Amino acid sequence: MKHVEADFKVIADYYEKHSEEMKRFVSKHIMYDSQEAEDIVQNVFLRLMTMGRMITPVTLPCLVYTMVRNLICDDWRHHQRITEYEHYIKGGQEGLDCDPMSVYSATETLEILERGIARLTAKQRQVYRLHIYKGMKVGEISKALDMRYKSTEHRLGIARREVRAFVKRALA
């Protein structure tokens, strides 16, 4: 118990003396939000206190700055992903027509898909539905329907081509 209390005292003393310095260090490296810098510094000290390992005044500074650097990298990666996603979303919508009539709803798309499936033969329709709706693989479908593997594979291939062509024509 004395060991844990000694660790907390070492951590608390270090926090009191160096927390502002660390906040400036983090703010300099993340370059956008001082509140986030404070969060990062507090996360480091929270992790240190819940770590359960012996911490000495000699090892603490190196450990703290390593943890800060890792959290800065994690934060940077997180913001990069957000930026990429926003760029993808915005970039993907620039070329689209903003007219609401040009966008198909999920229900309309499903209806088009069902009309395409209805044009298949009974066996193709059965194989295609098991593959699409049940997520079954060709081997599983061939066993379930008691068909040869190659026949199942052939029927699924034809069904895919037919439905894809129908949907493409319907959405054009």
Side-chain angles (χ1 to χ4, degrees):
M1 190 61 155
K2 289 181 181 178
H3 158 63
V4 173
E5 290 172 8
D7 285 349
F8 285 165
K9 176 132 176 64
V10 169
I11 294 168
D13 290 343
Y14 191 84
Y15 182 78
E16 284 178 24
K17 291 178 185 172
H18 300 282
S19 64
E20 289 303 317
E21 171 191 341
M22 291 181 61
K23 288 176 195 172
R24 286 191 302 272
F25 175 80
V26 173
S27 292
K28 176 183 162 198
H29 284 84
I30 62 173
M31 293 185 261
Y32 40 84
D33 189 7
S34 62
Q35 187 66 35
E36 197 154 340
E38 188 171 342
D39 290 345
I40 288 173
V41 171
Q42 287 178 358
N43 281 339
V44 167
F45 284 99
L46 180 66
R47 288 180 185 189
L48 284 170
M49 294 181 84
T50 58
M51 213 173 193
R53 294 192 178 136
M54 191 172 90
I55 298 172
T56 66
V58 175
T59 59
L60 185 60
C62 296
L63 183 59
V64 165
Y65 278 96
T66 300
M67 291 174 77
V68 165
R69 187 189 69 223
N70 290 342
L71 287 175
I72 289 170
C73 289
D74 290 347
D75 187 65
W76 181 81
R77 280 190 210 106
H78 174 74
H79 283 284
Q80 285 299 109
R81 291 283 179 220
I82 289 172
T83 304
E84 287 174 13
Y85 181 72
E86 287 174 348
H87 177 72
Y88 171 76
I89 294 297
K90 289 177 185 172
Q93 291 179 352
E94 285 175 1
L96 294 177
D97 214 358
C98 291
D99 180 20
M101 297 304 289
S102 68
V103 179
Y104 287 95
S105 72
T107 309
E108 291 171 327
T109 306
L110 188 59
E111 287 173 8
I112 292 170
L113 179 65
E114 283 300 322
R115 281 187 297 197
I117 293 172
R119 304 176 109 227
L120 301 172
T121 66
K123 286 287 188 183
Q124 289 173 345
R125 193 170 34 248
Q126 195 175 18
V127 168
Y128 191 77
R129 283 184 193 277
L130 287 174
H131 180 70
I132 294 298
Y133 294 127
K134 301 271 186 189
M136 296 173 77
K137 295 184 176 13
V138 175
E140 296 169 334
I141 296 169
S142 67
K143 286 178 185 173
L145 299 179
D146 196 33
M147 295 171 60
R148 289 190 331 239
Y149 182 89
K150 280 294 186 184
S151 299
T152 307
E153 189 176 48
H154 180 71
R155 285 188 175 117
L156 181 59
I158 291 172
R160 282 178 174 165
R161 279 193 298 276
E162 300 261 336
V163 170
R164 192 180 309 124
F166 180 82
V167 170
K168 194 174 191 179
R169 284 191 309 269
L171 294 177

